[in-house]
Amino acid sequence: MSRFELPVSRRRFVSTAAAAVAAGPWLITPDGAYARIRNGIDTTLPEGVFTLGVASGDPLPDAVVLWTRLAPQPTTGGGMPARPVPVAWEVAEDAGFRRVVRCGVATARPERAHCVHVDVRGLRPDTDYHYRFRTGYQVSPVGRTRTAPAAHARPSRLRFAFASCQDYQGGYYTAYQHLVDEDLAFVAFLGDYIYEGKPNPAAVRQHEGVGEPYTLDEYRNRHARYRTDPGLQAVHAAFPWIVTFDDHEVDNNFADGIPQDPDQQSPDAFRARRAAAFQAYYEHLPLRRSSQPDGPDIQVYRRLRFGTLASLHVLDTRQYRSDQPTTLAAAQDPTLTMTGAKQESWLTEGLQSYGTTWNLLANQVMWAQNDRRAGPAQIFSFDNWDGYRVQRRRLLELFGSGNVANPVILTGDRHCTWVCDLRPDFDDPATPVVGAELTGTSISSGGDPDVAAFHAAYDPIKAESPHWRYIDNRRGYFVCDLDQQRLLSSLRVVDTVWAQTSDVRTAAQFVVEAGRPGIAEVIEGAPPVSAAAAGPIYDVDDDQDSYPLRR
Ligand code: FE
Ligand code: CA
């Protein structure tokens, strides 16, 4: 049976696997002997150490990172004793853990918030595995993960999802309740995993704490708040994730060492804040040790490969960027950089040399020109690539050079769907299309949309922007089905994030054909939902705190 034809839904699969834990043997090694496990049964630990669930990430052909964090009181400091705690882990071929292939003991340390990252090696490529942790008498939920195909294998298909922007206060994660039932090799998360906003009593649900996080403890509590969501936990347990961050994991619209409000945060204070934010980010996500922060720096741009089918170039467009320009003239400054010179060289080289059919970029902010005013006048957000035009043009000309196979950019941030053709000069429709960009919507940020107000504002601009092929502002995620000939991406949208459950449906699909840059076809699905009669006015400014939080 291929991984595309599971016998039961993922949700049932995970819960069945969890039920098997009680009956299954613990730490039986492949040769049938009990592994020597160094942690004796510790009966002094508080109950509920696995409240935050499990996760896996960054799959390689022979390895995957497993994650958990011991935190019985997740939003108030964790609740663990201030001492190292041994945590046993095991990886099996089956959900009942009869065929354990790897096991060991990791140490959860208080200075790392009792998080555990295990980089399991020696696995087989393109294979499903199941994993769990144990400490004392407590056993974690069971996670399922999957390794990447071998570097020179020729997989016929790759199915994955991408998502971004999960403001806890923006709404419930109804989208994740459906994403967990998809059949995926991995989930790419493109930024805004947490939001740093203070608790909002008017929102459908509230952040913990009393204000924005600044300290390490405050960022840990914020991450833990998000990870208490059962839908988010289930998607982490169901698939390996490949994550990158945008601004809200630290501070809205930060650029390198410059915060949103430099008059309020000194360079030293912001440096300490960034270090705290990155430390907590690493502690809560299944990143490899190479991404462990060093003070205020974290190495997150990296490349993953899925046989000869696809490379995934994961970008970091926050940590090395120039400060945002404020005028269109300033945005033409050739010295401005979104990536820094080192990351640009790494990207330029990797795009031309990796030898895969597709080049996918896991990216934060929109590349495609994004005018926000109908008529001849143009208004841009210079936090996007619209603010870094010379570098954008340089990279898009590289896309069109014939040396980059089938580039497709996957983008977050916008809280809307924006499916676009990419051109080196967006103002000149005569210049060639050199690639495609799929800007996903959000999981919850922005709350329930006013579809009519959105289209009233943006349809006239779309008519003037021929590179925009499809726009929409409902919440959801993308599922991508990739083979050697084409990428079929499906936009899944939920009806609401302001109720605890919602239906999901496919709003539209988009085809990119290998060898033909840009969007080959837009397949419209169900008609848009009608806007609520007395809905809020949709704020067209993305990614700010100014949108309505409920009707
Ligand atoms: Fe966002
Ligand atoms: Ca305009």
Side-chain angles (χ1 to χ4, degrees):
M1 187 177 298
S2 83
R3 66 183 184 279
F4 308 108
E5 301 166 49
L6 288 171
V8 292
S9 79
R10 185 76 59 190
R11 186 177 302 167
R12 282 174 54 205
F13 175 75
V14 169
S15 57
T16 305
V21 170
W26 181 255
L27 288 177
I28 290 184
T29 52
D31 64 3
Y34 279 93
R36 249 189 290 280
I37 153 172
R38 293 190 298 275
N39 62 330
I41 301 299
D42 182 343
T43 57
T44 66
L45 290 178
E47 289 300 311
V49 294
F50 292 112
T51 302
L52 295 180
V54 299
S56 71
D58 276 22
L60 302 177
D62 67 336
V64 69
V65 177
L66 308 182
W67 173 94
T68 192
R69 181 188 163 205
L70 310 181
Q73 293 168 30
T75 61
T76 53
M80 285 292 288
R83 57 179 164 82
V85 175
V87 180
W89 56 271
E90 62 181 2
V91 176
E93 292 172 342
D94 64 305
F97 288 85
R98 283 175 292 277
R99 297 191 304 279
V100 172
V101 294
R102 287 287 179 278
C103 58
V105 179
T107 302
R109 298 182 185 284
E111 63 272 24
R112 298 281 181 211
H114 291 97
C115 72
V116 175
H117 294 77
V118 181
D119 192 357
V120 182
R121 299 273 163 174
L123 301 176
R124 284 187 290 128
D126 212 12
T127 302
D128 279 343
Y129 290 100
H130 307 268
Y131 62 95
R132 62 185 177 183
F133 299 89
R134 194 199 79 183
T135 190
Y137 288 112
Q138 300 181 56
V139 178
S140 76
V142 171
R144 171 265 182 197
T145 190
R146 186 173 185 85
T147 50
H152 298 292
R154 299 178 183 279
S156 56
R157 294 171 77 194
L158 179 70
R159 200 152 192 275
F160 63 96
F162 69 92
S164 65
C165 295
Q166 55 182 19
D167 186 353
Y168 189 86
Q169 299 192 135
Y172 297 103
Y173 297 159
T174 51
Y176 284 144
Q177 295 164 12
H178 299 283
L179 181 53
V180 75
D181 284 331
E182 304 279 357
D183 185 13
L184 307 170
F186 65 86
V187 172
F189 193 87
L190 306 177
D192 292 355
Y193 190 91
I194 61 163
Y195 282 71
E196 83 285 22
K198 63 181 189 294
N200 182 342
V204 293
R205 56 181 183 173
Q206 279 72 46
H207 282 152
E208 82 306 327
V210 294
E212 290 191 16
Y214 291 90
T215 66
L216 180 54
D217 282 348
E218 289 165 348
Y219 277 105
R220 284 170 171 165
N221 291 342
R222 181 59 52 90
H223 274 276
R225 168 80 285 168
Y226 280 61
R227 284 297 265 285
T228 57
D229 183 277
L232 176 59
Q233 278 194 21
V235 180
H236 271 298
F239 314 107
W241 283 42
I242 299 167
V243 301
T244 186
F245 60 85
D246 191 24
D247 53 341
H248 289 287
E249 285 87 347
V250 181
D251 186 27
N252 182 39
N253 283 1
F254 85 94
D256 193 355
I258 303 168
Q260 177 180 28
D261 43 9
D263 51 324
Q264 307 280 322
Q265 302 181 68
S266 73
D268 281 352
F270 185 66
R271 193 180 158 83
R273 186 183 192 186
R274 200 174 103 164
F278 287 160
Q279 179 64 31
Y281 183 76
Y282 175 78
E283 287 171 353
H284 288 82
L285 288 164
L287 287 158
R288 201 154 259 120
R289 182 176 285 275
S290 50
S291 293
Q292 189 167 302
D294 178 12
D297 302 317
I298 187 170
Q299 174 68 44
V300 161
Y301 71 80
R302 63 199 188 280
R303 201 153 19 234
L304 293 104
R305 181 186 173 113
F306 298 87
T308 59
L309 189 55
S311 309
L312 182 67
H313 311 265
V314 182
L315 301 188
D316 173 349
T317 59
R318 285 290 160 195
Q319 211 177 168
Y320 315 103
R321 70 152 83 188
S322 316
D323 198 13
Q324 292 89 346
T326 53
T327 66
L328 189 53
Q332 308 284 1
D333 180 344
T335 68
L336 293 183
T337 177
M338 184 68 99
T339 60
K342 194 174 158 200
Q343 183 178 191
E344 183 176 344
S345 304
W346 165 89
L347 178 62
T348 299
E349 190 184 320
L351 282 169
Q352 298 178 92
S353 67
Y354 233 51
T356 54
T357 301
W358 297 90
N359 279 288
L360 309 174
L361 279 71
N363 165 67
Q364 293 80 22
V365 294
M366 270 185 79
W367 285 57
Q369 184 161 289
N370 206 230
D371 180 22
R372 292 160 192 238
R373 177 164 296 179
Q378 294 179 310
I379 292 186
F380 300 110
S381 164
F382 296 120
D383 187 60
N384 298 342
W385 283 84
D386 276 331
Y388 301 77
R389 292 170 170 251
V390 175
Q391 187 191 22
R392 176 174 67 183
R393 183 172 188 134
R394 184 163 65 237
L395 288 167
L396 291 178
E397 284 174 347
L398 174 67
F399 282 13
S401 67
N403 296 326
V404 178
N406 299 310
V408 178
I409 302 179
L410 314 174
T411 297
D413 174 65
R414 191 69 175 85
H415 304 178
C416 297
T417 299
W418 236 277
V419 175
C420 296
D421 291 329
L422 297 172
R423 290 191 164 88
D425 184 348
F426 293 98
D427 288 324
D428 182 0
T431 58
V433 173
V434 298
E437 181 175 38
L438 303 170
T439 294
T441 171
S442 68
I443 292 295
S444 58
S445 305
D448 279 354
D450 186 329
V451 177
F454 174 81
H455 284 285
Y458 278 96
D459 284 357
I461 313 175
K462 182 170 183 281
E464 301 163 357
S465 305
H467 61 286
W468 296 2
R469 303 295 302 280
Y470 180 91
I471 59 174
D472 182 77
N473 70 335
R474 287 165 291 178
R475 306 282 77 82
Y477 56 89
F478 267 88
V479 172
C480 295
D481 227 319
L482 191 66
D483 64 28
Q484 297 285 351
Q485 282 75 45
R486 61 107 181 86
L487 166 63
L488 175 67
S489 60
S490 302
L491 170 62
R492 305 263 206 262
V493 297
V494 293
D495 295 330
T496 182
V497 298
W498 285 342
Q500 301 213 19
T501 59
S502 169
D503 289 336
V504 71
R505 62 208 158 83
T506 302
Q509 293 180 298
F510 312 96
V511 178
V512 182
E513 295 174 356
R516 177 182 168 187
I519 305 297
E521 192 180 357
V522 174
I523 305 163
E524 298 271 0
V529 294
S530 56
I537 301 303
Y538 185 78
D539 184 342
V540 296
D541 190 9
D542 54 306
D543 220 10
Q544 303 296 315
D545 289 332
S546 53
Y547 50 74
L549 290 161
R550 59 178 154 192
R551 287 199 177 89

Short mmCIF file of all heavy atoms in Angstrom, two decimals, residues 13 17 20-21 24-25 28 90-101 124 127-132 142-144:
data_model
loop_
_atom_site.label_atom_id
_atom_site.label_comp_id
_atom_site.label_asym_id
_atom_site.label_seq_id
_atom_site.Cartn_x
_atom_site.Cartn_y
_atom_site.Cartn_z
N PHE A 13 -5.94 6.90 12.86
CA PHE A 13 -4.65 6.22 12.88
C PHE A 13 -3.85 6.63 14.11
O PHE A 13 -3.35 5.80 14.86
CB PHE A 13 -3.90 6.57 11.60
CG PHE A 13 -2.51 6.03 11.52
CD1 PHE A 13 -2.28 4.70 11.28
CD2 PHE A 13 -1.45 6.89 11.72
CE1 PHE A 13 -0.99 4.22 11.21
CE2 PHE A 13 -0.15 6.41 11.66
CZ PHE A 13 0.07 5.07 11.40
N ALA A 17 -2.98 4.32 17.37
CA ALA A 17 -1.58 4.10 17.74
C ALA A 17 -1.36 4.47 19.20
O ALA A 17 -0.66 3.77 19.94
CB ALA A 17 -0.67 4.91 16.83
N ALA A 20 -2.40 1.83 21.51
CA ALA A 20 -1.56 0.64 21.52
C ALA A 20 -0.43 0.74 22.53
O ALA A 20 0.18 -0.26 22.88
CB ALA A 20 -0.97 0.41 20.12
N VAL A 21 -0.15 1.96 23.01
CA VAL A 21 0.99 2.15 23.90
C VAL A 21 0.85 1.32 25.17
O VAL A 21 1.78 0.65 25.60
CB VAL A 21 1.17 3.64 24.26
CG1 VAL A 21 2.19 3.79 25.38
CG2 VAL A 21 1.59 4.41 23.04
N GLY A 24 1.56 -2.31 24.33
CA GLY A 24 2.79 -2.65 23.61
C GLY A 24 3.99 -2.79 24.52
O GLY A 24 4.01 -2.23 25.62
N PRO A 25 4.98 -3.52 24.11
CA PRO A 25 6.21 -3.63 24.89
C PRO A 25 6.98 -2.31 24.83
O PRO A 25 6.76 -1.51 23.93
CB PRO A 25 6.97 -4.74 24.20
CG PRO A 25 6.49 -4.69 22.78
CD PRO A 25 5.07 -4.20 22.83
N ILE A 28 11.82 -2.83 23.27
CA ILE A 28 12.33 -4.11 22.78
C ILE A 28 13.14 -3.81 21.53
O ILE A 28 12.64 -3.22 20.58
CB ILE A 28 11.18 -5.08 22.47
CG1 ILE A 28 10.55 -5.52 23.79
CG2 ILE A 28 11.71 -6.28 21.70
CD1 ILE A 28 9.46 -6.55 23.61
N GLU A 90 12.01 5.72 21.46
CA GLU A 90 12.15 4.59 20.55
C GLU A 90 11.41 4.87 19.25
O GLU A 90 10.43 5.61 19.21
CB GLU A 90 11.70 3.28 21.18
CG GLU A 90 10.27 3.23 21.60
CD GLU A 90 9.92 1.88 22.24
OE1 GLU A 90 10.81 1.03 22.39
OE2 GLU A 90 8.74 1.69 22.57
N VAL A 91 11.93 4.26 18.20
CA VAL A 91 11.40 4.41 16.85
C VAL A 91 11.10 3.02 16.32
O VAL A 91 11.96 2.13 16.40
CB VAL A 91 12.41 5.11 15.92
CG1 VAL A 91 11.90 5.17 14.49
CG2 VAL A 91 12.74 6.51 16.44
N ALA A 92 9.88 2.84 15.81
CA ALA A 92 9.46 1.51 15.34
C ALA A 92 8.90 1.61 13.93
O ALA A 92 8.45 2.66 13.49
CB ALA A 92 8.41 0.93 16.29
N GLU A 93 8.90 0.46 13.27
CA GLU A 93 8.29 0.39 11.94
C GLU A 93 6.77 0.31 12.04
O GLU A 93 6.07 0.65 11.09
CB GLU A 93 8.81 -0.84 11.18
CG GLU A 93 10.28 -0.72 10.82
CD GLU A 93 10.85 -2.00 10.24
OE1 GLU A 93 10.23 -3.08 10.43
OE2 GLU A 93 11.91 -1.93 9.61
N ASP A 94 6.27 -0.16 13.18
CA ASP A 94 4.82 -0.36 13.31
C ASP A 94 4.28 0.45 14.48
O ASP A 94 5.00 0.77 15.43
CB ASP A 94 4.53 -1.85 13.53
CG ASP A 94 5.12 -2.33 14.84
OD1 ASP A 94 6.34 -2.15 15.02
OD2 ASP A 94 4.37 -2.85 15.68
N ALA A 95 3.01 0.75 14.43
CA ALA A 95 2.39 1.59 15.45
C ALA A 95 2.25 0.86 16.78
O ALA A 95 2.01 1.49 17.81
CB ALA A 95 1.01 2.06 14.97
N GLY A 96 2.36 -0.45 16.78
CA GLY A 96 2.29 -1.21 18.02
C GLY A 96 3.66 -1.41 18.68
O GLY A 96 3.76 -2.02 19.72
N PHE A 97 4.72 -0.89 18.06
CA PHE A 97 6.08 -0.95 18.59
C PHE A 97 6.57 -2.38 18.79
O PHE A 97 7.30 -2.69 19.71
CB PHE A 97 6.21 -0.12 19.88
CG PHE A 97 6.15 1.37 19.59
CD1 PHE A 97 4.92 2.00 19.48
CD2 PHE A 97 7.29 2.10 19.38
CE1 PHE A 97 4.85 3.35 19.17
CE2 PHE A 97 7.23 3.45 19.07
CZ PHE A 97 6.00 4.08 18.96
N ARG A 98 6.18 -3.26 17.87
CA ARG A 98 6.73 -4.62 17.91
C ARG A 98 8.04 -4.68 17.14
O ARG A 98 8.89 -5.51 17.42
CB ARG A 98 5.72 -5.62 17.33
CG ARG A 98 4.60 -5.95 18.32
CD ARG A 98 3.54 -6.84 17.71
NE ARG A 98 2.77 -6.15 16.68
CZ ARG A 98 1.73 -5.35 16.93
NH1 ARG A 98 1.34 -5.14 18.18
NH2 ARG A 98 1.09 -4.75 15.95
N ARG A 99 8.22 -3.78 16.15
CA ARG A 99 9.47 -3.79 15.37
C ARG A 99 10.21 -2.47 15.61
O ARG A 99 10.18 -1.55 14.80
CB ARG A 99 9.16 -3.98 13.88
CG ARG A 99 8.49 -5.33 13.58
CD ARG A 99 8.44 -5.64 12.09
NE ARG A 99 7.78 -4.61 11.31
CZ ARG A 99 6.46 -4.46 11.18
NH1 ARG A 99 5.64 -5.31 11.80
NH2 ARG A 99 5.95 -3.50 10.46
N VAL A 100 10.84 -2.38 16.79
CA VAL A 100 11.61 -1.18 17.15
C VAL A 100 12.95 -1.23 16.42
O VAL A 100 13.64 -2.25 16.47
CB VAL A 100 11.82 -1.12 18.67
CG1 VAL A 100 12.77 0.01 19.03
CG2 VAL A 100 10.48 -0.93 19.38
N VAL A 101 13.29 -0.15 15.74
CA VAL A 101 14.54 -0.15 14.98
C VAL A 101 15.62 0.74 15.60
O VAL A 101 16.81 0.58 15.31
CB VAL A 101 14.30 0.26 13.51
CG1 VAL A 101 13.45 -0.79 12.80
CG2 VAL A 101 13.67 1.64 13.41
N ARG A 124 15.77 4.05 7.19
CA ARG A 124 15.66 3.77 5.76
C ARG A 124 14.98 4.95 5.05
O ARG A 124 14.10 5.60 5.64
CB ARG A 124 14.86 2.49 5.53
CG ARG A 124 15.67 1.22 5.83
CD ARG A 124 14.90 -0.03 5.43
NE ARG A 124 13.77 -0.25 6.32
CZ ARG A 124 12.51 -0.46 5.90
NH1 ARG A 124 12.22 -0.46 4.63
NH2 ARG A 124 11.55 -0.65 6.78
N THR A 127 10.39 6.18 4.19
CA THR A 127 9.74 5.16 5.02
C THR A 127 9.00 5.82 6.18
O THR A 127 9.50 6.75 6.79
CB THR A 127 10.81 4.19 5.58
OG1 THR A 127 11.51 3.61 4.48
CG2 THR A 127 10.19 3.09 6.43
N ASP A 128 7.82 5.29 6.49
CA ASP A 128 7.07 5.73 7.66
C ASP A 128 7.64 5.09 8.93
O ASP A 128 7.97 3.90 8.92
CB ASP A 128 5.61 5.27 7.55
CG ASP A 128 4.78 6.18 6.67
OD1 ASP A 128 5.22 7.31 6.40
OD2 ASP A 128 3.69 5.75 6.26
N TYR A 129 7.71 5.87 9.99
CA TYR A 129 8.11 5.35 11.29
C TYR A 129 7.17 5.90 12.37
O TYR A 129 6.51 6.93 12.17
CB TYR A 129 9.55 5.77 11.65
CG TYR A 129 10.59 5.07 10.82
CD1 TYR A 129 11.19 5.71 9.73
CD2 TYR A 129 10.99 3.76 11.13
CE1 TYR A 129 12.16 5.06 8.97
CE2 TYR A 129 11.96 3.12 10.36
CZ TYR A 129 12.53 3.77 9.29
OH TYR A 129 13.48 3.14 8.54
N HIS A 130 7.17 5.22 13.51
CA HIS A 130 6.40 5.64 14.67
C HIS A 130 7.37 5.84 15.82
O HIS A 130 8.38 5.13 15.90
CB HIS A 130 5.34 4.59 15.01
CG HIS A 130 4.49 4.25 13.83
ND1 HIS A 130 3.32 4.89 13.56
CD2 HIS A 130 4.71 3.38 12.81
CE1 HIS A 130 2.82 4.42 12.42
NE2 HIS A 130 3.64 3.51 11.95
N TYR A 131 7.08 6.79 16.68
CA TYR A 131 8.01 7.08 17.77
C TYR A 131 7.25 7.50 19.02
O TYR A 131 6.09 7.92 18.96
CB TYR A 131 9.01 8.18 17.35
CG TYR A 131 8.35 9.51 17.03
CD1 TYR A 131 8.23 10.52 17.99
CD2 TYR A 131 7.82 9.75 15.76
CE1 TYR A 131 7.62 11.71 17.70
CE2 TYR A 131 7.20 10.95 15.48
CZ TYR A 131 7.11 11.93 16.44
OH TYR A 131 6.48 13.11 16.16
N ARG A 132 7.91 7.35 20.15
CA ARG A 132 7.34 7.78 21.43
C ARG A 132 8.47 7.97 22.42
O ARG A 132 9.61 7.53 22.19
CB ARG A 132 6.33 6.74 21.94
CG ARG A 132 6.94 5.38 22.20
CD ARG A 132 5.89 4.36 22.59
NE ARG A 132 6.47 3.04 22.78
CZ ARG A 132 5.77 1.94 23.07
NH1 ARG A 132 4.46 2.01 23.23
NH2 ARG A 132 6.38 0.78 23.24
N VAL A 142 1.96 8.80 20.72
CA VAL A 142 2.76 8.24 19.63
C VAL A 142 2.74 9.21 18.46
O VAL A 142 1.69 9.73 18.08
CB VAL A 142 2.20 6.87 19.21
CG1 VAL A 142 2.88 6.38 17.93
CG2 VAL A 142 2.41 5.86 20.33
N GLY A 143 3.91 9.47 17.89
CA GLY A 143 3.99 10.26 16.68
C GLY A 143 4.30 9.38 15.49
O GLY A 143 4.82 8.26 15.64
N ARG A 144 3.95 9.87 14.33
CA ARG A 144 4.29 9.19 13.08
C ARG A 144 5.15 10.15 12.28
O ARG A 144 4.92 11.36 12.27
CB ARG A 144 3.00 8.82 12.35
CG ARG A 144 3.20 8.30 10.92
CD ARG A 144 3.04 9.43 9.93
NE ARG A 144 3.17 9.00 8.55
CZ ARG A 144 3.41 9.84 7.54
NH1 ARG A 144 3.55 11.13 7.77
NH2 ARG A 144 3.49 9.39 6.32
#
